[in-house]
Amino acid sequence: MSTLTTRCVIAGGGPAGMVCGYLLARAGIDVIVLEKHADFLRDFRGDTAHPSTLEVFHELGLLSDFLALPHQQVRHLHMEIGNQRFTVGDFTHLPTYCKFIALMPQWDLLDFLARKAKAFPNFRLLMQTRAATLIEERGEVAGLHAQAPDGEVEIRADLVIGADGRHSTIRDRAGFVPREFGVPIDVIWFRLPLEASDPTEPVARIGAGYFLVMLYRGDYWQCAFVVPKGGFANIQREGLSAFRARLAAIAGFAVDRVDAIQSFDDVSLLTVTVNRLLQWAKPGLLCIGDAAHAMSPVGGVGINIAVQDAVATANILREALKRGRPTLEQLNQVQARRELPARLTQTAQVAIQNNIVAAALALQGELKPPLVVKLLRWFPVLQRIPARLVGIGVRPEHVSRELLRAKQPSA
Ligand SMILES: Cc1cc2nc3c(=O)[nH]c(=O)nc-3n(C[C@H](O)[C@H](O)[C@H](O)COP(=O)(O)OP(=O)(O)OC[C@H]3O[C@@H](n4cnc5c(N)ncnc54)[C@H](O)[C@@H]3O)c2cc1C
């Protein structure tokens, strides 16, 4: 077994772990990020960088390099109820540098962060390395054991950050049990071909018994078909033709392309979970991102909340980590800062899941546009409110001046 020593070890190379690793390394702190996969390619997990995330990149001077990568820009959100189309979000008036959502595959975002972080000599990214157990000494976490391709590695650190997502190993090993919020829906993901005459902005199609979101991805449509919890088994039982017929009835301009789904191997089921820890930290350990609060895909805000957690963590703990081991009080400050945004966002997500999405799925007959959607059409200025909630959210984080001014370690 090999042994490594560092100031901070982060389990999980998702948005929370990679942004936190980048920021701490930039501030001159020795940091190791562990990612259990060999690369950042995986099933669709959300591809959105919201204005709040783009603002952080702008503050860090990373924005122009980031936007040089292939992406699409979303300035409005649309909803189709029956055959009526409504604009429900307008990002063009946000008080942010970028007045749009950037749609980019998550692996491109993570590769980008890894490239930027690797420029710092005090940053190490260990791929194919799975955090397995915690090292505990005198009642404090003092590091972790991980499984690497060439055997077990012991990593001793002043701080372990659990950024290992909704099925967090670190959270389990710490004995933290999240409070679960029941979720009545699951999501089936698949792609449909694009044609030159198609619109280029995302659209949510809602009606009695269905909810389909279509995201324009430059050369295909990424589609999310929402089903009642456990509903995918029924769809499989009914067979592919019945599924295609269901899609054709609601796919609008893409009606002639549902045959692109050749088998159920072309679709993937993603189980939706919403939960939150009561306690995010113990001596020597902190959980952030989905490990502390698994987000629903509603609003597509999970990546951005994870990024905001990472910024708050670096802002709050940078000074302490320079000197050594942060105290429990300092670790708790991260929870104190980020719990409210997570709680309010999850409350809104659960309300939308239960009262709009699940209600639409259970409805028989015709779905009438709700008053709030009509108000957004009558008074377009109101479209800025949902855009602000989705694009910036509650308590947006900014990279602290001290962190921006910190002398950057050079390779
Ligand atoms: C179906 C679905 C669609 C979504 N769509 C969107 C969207 O469009 N926009 C949006 O903003 N959010 C979306 N979300 C939410 C979003 O995916 C998460 O909130 C966000 O990815 C959380 O980031 P994270 O870094 O905390 O965790 P994750 O992104 O889950 O990253 C955790 C990382 O840790 C790694 N890991 C896990 N265990 C270990 C271990 N033991 N050792 C080492 N590494 C480990 C994983 O491989 C992973 O790379 C969606 C979620 C779902 C389920």
Side-chain angles (χ1 to χ4, degrees):
M1 180 168 69
S2 56
T3 301
L4 300 172
T5 305
T6 184
R7 188 66 86 193
C8 175
V9 58
I10 300 175
M18 289 307 297
V19 172
C20 195
Y22 169 84
L23 290 172
L24 293 179
R26 179 172 164 142
I29 291 155
D30 201 36
V31 58
I32 296 179
V33 178
L34 310 180
E35 170 52 51
K36 68 178 178 184
H37 290 102
D39 54 37
F40 294 118
L41 289 170
R42 23 209 158 288
D43 265 351
F44 183 75
R45 289 192 315 199
D47 288 353
T48 54
H50 284 214
S52 56
T53 296
L54 298 174
E55 195 74 2
V56 166
F57 289 174
H58 175 54
E59 289 165 0
L60 291 165
L62 300 177
L63 187 66
S64 55
D65 284 357
F66 181 70
L67 293 181
L69 299 172
H71 70 282
Q72 292 81 44
Q73 300 185 358
V74 175
R75 291 185 159 76
H76 297 94
L77 295 177
H78 306 285
M79 186 179 272
E80 286 183 12
I81 300 179
N83 51 15
Q84 296 191 65
R85 186 176 170 95
F86 300 86
T87 300
V88 293
D90 176 359
F91 295 102
T92 61
H93 298 274
L94 288 183
T96 45
Y97 189 80
C98 295
K99 297 174 194 315
F100 55 83
I101 292 179
L103 282 180
M104 182 186 291
Q106 202 179 119
W107 50 88
D108 284 349
L109 166 75
L110 298 174
D111 271 337
F112 172 79
L113 289 164
R115 264 197 319 277
K116 293 290 176 187
K118 281 178 189 163
F120 304 120
N122 47 326
F123 176 87
R124 278 176 285 179
L125 174 62
L126 306 185
M127 301 299 288
Q128 276 183 288
T129 306
R130 177 192 293 267
T133 53
L134 295 173
I135 304 170
E136 300 206 46
E137 287 170 357
R138 294 180 294 279
E140 301 202 346
V141 175
L144 53 77
H145 287 119
Q147 286 300 330
D150 43 4
E152 192 176 321
V153 49
E154 175 181 87
I155 306 180
R156 303 195 72 85
D158 290 308
L159 178 63
V160 173
I161 295 184
D164 48 345
R166 59 192 52 217
H167 305 295
S168 169
T169 302
I170 296 294
R171 179 180 73 193
D172 289 352
R173 297 290 184 264
F176 293 165
V177 181
R179 177 180 166 206
E180 299 287 341
F181 303 92
V183 177
I185 53 167
D186 282 330
V187 182
I188 299 172
W189 295 97
F190 53 89
R191 293 178 177 197
L192 289 181
L194 182 84
E195 281 181 11
S197 56
D198 287 352
T200 55
E201 293 208 289
V203 61
R205 298 173 188 284
I206 308 175
Y210 66 84
F211 197 120
L212 173 71
V213 179
M214 297 177 68
L215 300 172
Y216 171 75
R217 297 315 320 276
D219 44 7
Y220 63 92
W221 286 97
Q222 177 74 54
C223 301
F225 184 63
V226 185
V227 294
K229 194 109 208 133
F232 187 48
N234 291 339
I235 288 179
Q236 284 178 306
R237 247 193 315 275
E238 287 163 16
L240 196 60
S241 312
F243 179 54
R244 285 195 198 132
R246 249 172 106 172
L247 281 183
I250 58 173
F253 57 81
V255 57
D256 52 342
R257 294 167 231 166
V258 296
D259 288 351
I261 304 173
Q262 301 272 309
S263 80
F264 280 117
D265 292 339
D266 293 334
V267 302
S268 43
L269 170 72
L270 289 166
T271 308
V272 180
T273 309
V274 181
N275 64 33
R276 193 169 63 247
L277 288 179
L278 291 177
Q279 181 192 357
W280 297 17
K282 64 195 270 188
L285 181 141
L286 172 69
C287 290
I288 60 170
D290 269 19
H293 47 70
M295 307 302 292
S296 152
V298 170
V301 293
I303 295 169
N304 302 278
I305 299 246
V307 169
Q308 304 280 308
D309 281 8
V311 174
T313 302
N315 284 344
I316 293 169
L317 300 181
R318 179 187 67 93
E319 251 333 291
L321 275 170
K322 276 193 151 173
R323 288 190 298 270
R325 171 175 287 255
T327 62
L328 181 58
E329 289 68 34
Q330 288 164 332
L331 299 179
N332 285 337
Q333 281 173 29
V334 177
Q335 176 174 357
R337 170 106 197 139
R338 295 302 307 157
E339 189 170 10
L340 181 75
R343 199 169 63 221
L344 292 180
T345 310
Q346 288 180 323
T347 303
Q349 289 182 322
V350 169
I352 292 171
Q353 279 171 189
N354 294 346
N355 301 320
I356 300 181
V357 184
L361 294 182
L363 191 73
Q364 293 180 348
E366 195 193 344
L367 177 67
K368 299 241 161 50
L371 179 62
V372 64
V373 173
K374 290 186 194 160
L375 282 172
L376 292 170
R377 173 184 272 177
W378 294 332
F379 306 104
V381 71
L382 297 180
Q383 294 164 11
R384 299 177 192 184
I385 300 172
R388 194 177 176 112
L389 293 174
V390 170
I392 300 180
V394 182
R395 194 179 273 166
E397 301 292 341
H398 297 277
V399 184
S400 72
R401 285 215 188 88
E402 295 72 29
L403 204 152
L404 288 174
R405 274 203 296 258
K407 189 172 170 326
Q408 291 176 28
S410 53

